[in-house]
Amino acid sequence: MPIAEQPRTITVADGAVSAAYTRPDHPAATLVVAHGAGAGMDHPFLAGFSAGLSDTGVASLRFNFPYREAGRKFPDRPPVAIAAWRSAMDHAAALAGDHGDNGNLWAGGKSFGGRMASMAVAEGMPAAGLVYLGYPLHPPGKPEKLRDEHLYGLTLPMLFLQGSRDTFATPDLLTRVVSGIGTNAVLEWVAGGDHSFTVAGKKRAAFDVGAAAAIPVAAFILSRVVPQP
């Protein structure tokens, strides 16, 4: 039976944002998940992703950025998004503490959400590791405008899960960037997947696509869980 999500509210600088907490019994780790620029935390892909994580023993906390909570279309500027990330991680840590969980706390997200997670970590936000669900390395058709500067100083485990047809990351460029980060960064391709991980010729609901994406992510996290005292 699927694990029911628990609605949560996270206090941020200028108010509050919605969140959804999914926790299996005795989770080995918790992944805090942020949405992409064009969809909120309730998008079926992310709902399926959280469900897939719970099936593998990983808890998750999805949250909205302030702009999405307010019904705006244009994403928050990095300082606002990074502040929201810090609040979400603090909230997840408190939830884990309330349940007596001592598993590692990871950060990640879809596209914009994952990029903002990495920027927050680069500015000092603690996390056991990072997960990118389609890292937006450059705008479509503009490979010269790379968004990679802050990545090279990150030494924590990182998984880049990327569709091979993703127009936001030219394959050879992303391969070069991940290689340049170091051995702590791993790139895993979804063959034929676009920025939404939709594979041409395969008709699947977004929920199921998200659940499938959770499998390699959970495997990566669980293989790097650090025992806590």
Side-chain angles (χ1 to χ4, degrees):
M1 179 180 294
I3 297 171
E5 293 185 349
Q6 302 174 23
R8 305 290 304 182
T9 300
I10 299 175
T11 301
V12 295
D14 295 323
V17 296
S18 301
Y21 182 50
T22 304
R23 179 186 176 274
D25 291 335
H26 311 296
T30 298
L31 175 62
V32 182
V33 184
H35 58 81
M41 70 169 195
D42 290 325
H43 189 279
F45 174 89
L46 292 181
F49 182 70
S50 291
L53 289 176
S54 69
D55 288 343
T56 66
V58 176
S60 65
L61 177 72
R62 305 194 315 275
F63 70 96
N64 275 337
F65 285 113
Y67 80 94
R68 189 72 187 186
E69 192 73 18
R72 299 190 299 269
K73 292 184 178 180
F74 194 78
D76 297 314
R77 301 296 298 169
V80 175
I82 289 170
W85 251 114
R86 289 183 175 276
S87 296
M89 290 292 277
D90 289 344
H91 191 88
L95 284 171
D98 290 344
H99 287 94
D101 299 334
N102 61 359
N104 301 151
L105 188 61
W106 288 59
K110 184 73 183 72
S111 193
F112 170 80
R115 178 173 170 243
M116 291 299 107
S118 67
M119 292 178 69
V121 169
E123 292 190 9
M125 184 183 79
L130 284 162
V131 172
Y132 308 109
L133 302 172
Y135 187 81
L137 182 61
H138 56 74
K142 298 180 179 179
E144 72 280 3
K145 295 187 176 181
L146 295 181
R147 302 159 173 156
D148 63 337
E149 297 89 348
H150 66 289
L151 296 174
Y152 301 106
L154 302 179
T155 59
L156 71 174
M158 290 186 280
L159 173 64
F160 290 78
L161 186 66
Q162 203 85 16
S164 63
R165 295 189 301 113
D166 191 339
T167 57
F168 283 80
T170 306
D172 60 337
L173 286 177
L174 184 59
T175 299
R176 188 180 72 196
V177 167
V178 174
S179 177
I181 294 171
T183 57
N184 58 303
V186 173
L187 173 58
E188 187 163 341
W189 295 103
V190 175
D194 61 13
H195 195 55
S196 299
F197 296 99
T198 300
V199 176
K202 290 186 178 180
K203 201 169 185 180
R204 289 193 299 172
F207 184 97
D208 296 331
V209 174
I215 296 173
V217 169
F220 184 83
I221 291 174
L222 296 175
S223 70
R224 289 160 176 80
V225 167
V226 178
Q228 300 295 312

